[in-house]
């Protein structure tokens, strides 16, 4: 049995009160709104043809490639047996950008994913991005491994290279015992530098980015059957003594309290504290209340 889905998402921007023609005075305007004063942005419009068991799928149109850092293309993706012992996908298209011309640019990629042994899932990814205006070709390589160990421990290892240099290497460790209301997480990452040499969406830096190490940890504990406490900490260590607005050390601490009296209602409140190098320190407070009605409606404030 074949299934056909149509995906659409976009944004329309309109000044309703007509009091000003300046986007600088509009608190709801974003960076994309200032590009040629466009009112409408098409994010996704693609058709998805797949079987009922999702063993294969063909997506054609404007779309995001989730496995390639959300690469935005006008093109096609073919997915085959990604949930089986061995599968993968291929994609090809013209990159989408609201800030620069991409006419003549091309992105293509291939991914292999499989389960070579028990409790393991491994993905290999290669992406080739041709920036025609800059006459530059970028290559992106990713090795992504997930492994469950001793039933309660899950490891996630990732290495990503960009044009023969390190983009990101990381290790995540999750401890989630099935017979306990306690769990914890530890993440260690190393990010390579980025000088923003090309216009490619594979270059993730805003301005120049110096190499840095990022450490994060979190735990959650059930105090009562309906009350949970979750503290977390993160720190960024830049590999340069000459730090600027984009390259600074910081520490962040947060504490979240979650109340879930039943499956219909839940609420949370979180406080956080940032300590950024050069004396920038601030507190933050956020909260959310969510209501779910069966599997039909979900709303939050």
């Amino acid at each position: 049995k074949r299934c056909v889905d149509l995906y659409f998402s976009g944004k329309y921007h309109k000044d309703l009160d007509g009091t000003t023609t300046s986007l600088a005075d509009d608190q709801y305007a974003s960076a994309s709104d200032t590009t040629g004063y466009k009112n409408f942005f098409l994010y996704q419009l693609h058709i998805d043809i797949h079987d009922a068991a999702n063993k294969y799928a063909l997506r054609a149109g404007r779309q995001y490639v989730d496995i390639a850092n959300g690469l935005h293309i006008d093109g096609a993706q073919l997915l085959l047996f990604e949930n089986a012992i061995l599968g993968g996908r291929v994609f090809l298209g013209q990159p989408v950008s609201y800030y620069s011309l991409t006419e003549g640019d091309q992105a293509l990629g291939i991914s292999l994913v499989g389960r070579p042994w028990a409790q393991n899932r491994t993905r290999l990814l290669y992406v080739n991005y041709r920036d025609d205006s800059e006459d530059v070709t970028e290559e992106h390589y990713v090795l992504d491994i997930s492994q469950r160990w001793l039933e309660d421990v899950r490891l996630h290892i990732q290495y990503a290279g960009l044009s023969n240099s390190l983009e990101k290497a990381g290790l995540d460790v999750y401890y989630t015992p099935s017979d306990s209301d306690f769990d914890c997480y530890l993440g260690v990452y190393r990010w390579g530098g980025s000088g923003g040499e090309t216009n490619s969406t594979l270059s993730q830096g805003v301005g120049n980015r110096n190499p840095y190490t990022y450490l994060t940890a979190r735990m959650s504990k059930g105090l009562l059957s309906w009350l949970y406490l979750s503290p977390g900490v993160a720190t960024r260590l830049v590999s340069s003594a000459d730090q600027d607005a984009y390259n600074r050390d910081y520490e962040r601490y947060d504490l979240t309290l979650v109340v879930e009296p039943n499956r219909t209602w839940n609420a949370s409140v979180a406080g956080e504290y940032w300590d950024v190098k050069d004396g920038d320190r601030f507190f933050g407070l956020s909260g959310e209340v969510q209501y779910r009605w069966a599997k039909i409606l979900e709303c939050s404030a």
Side-chain angles (χ1 to χ4, degrees), residues 125-300:
L125 170 68
Y126 169 77
V127 181
N128 183 290
Y129 186 107
R130 173 64 184 173
D131 189 326
D132 185 67
S133 62
E134 298 290 334
D135 194 24
V136 171
T137 298
E138 291 185 356
E139 294 180 308
H140 194 210
Y141 311 88
V142 176
L143 171 64
D144 192 287
I145 302 173
S146 294
Q147 176 69 52
R148 184 168 292 278
W149 183 53
L150 299 178
E151 297 299 326
D152 297 333
V153 179
R154 183 166 62 88
L155 306 176
H156 178 223
I157 302 170
Q158 186 181 73
Y159 174 86
L162 181 61
S163 298
N164 299 320
S165 62
L166 171 68
E167 181 188 33
K168 173 187 176 183
L171 170 65
D172 299 297
V173 182
Y174 303 86
Y175 176 64
T176 54
S178 56
D179 57 350
S180 173
D181 57 4
F182 169 82
D183 60 73
C184 60
Y185 159 76
L186 173 66
V188 181
Y189 303 90
R190 177 65 179 176
W191 289 82
S194 171
E197 294 87 352
T198 77
N199 294 324
S200 164
T201 52
L202 296 180
S203 296
Q204 298 298 313
V206 177
N208 294 335
R209 184 185 68 199
N210 294 331
Y212 67 89
T213 300
Y214 182 75
L215 308 172
T216 180
R218 175 169 298 281
M219 61 164 284
S220 296
K221 173 64 178 176
L223 303 179
L224 299 169
S225 61
W226 50 271
L227 183 63
Y228 302 88
L229 189 67
S230 179
V233 60
T235 183
R236 173 177 172 174
L237 305 171
V238 179
S239 302
S240 173
D242 184 19
Q243 301 193 20
D244 55 29
Y246 302 108
N247 298 279
R248 289 196 288 174
D249 294 342
Y250 68 75
E251 297 174 1
R252 178 178 63 84
Y253 307 90
D254 70 270
L255 183 64
T256 303
L257 193 66
V258 180
V259 178
E260 192 168 2
N262 51 56
R263 294 185 178 181
T264 302
W265 289 96
N266 72 77
S268 66
V269 59
E272 60 181 331
Y273 171 69
W274 290 74
D275 184 359
V276 187
K277 187 172 180 175
D278 297 330
D280 287 343
R281 299 181 178 90
F282 58 90
F283 292 92
L285 184 66
S286 61
E288 181 181 31
V289 177
Q290 185 180 71
Y291 172 77
R292 292 186 296 265
W293 180 53
K295 296 183 179 180
I296 300 174
L297 176 66
E298 179 179 301
C299 58
S300 62

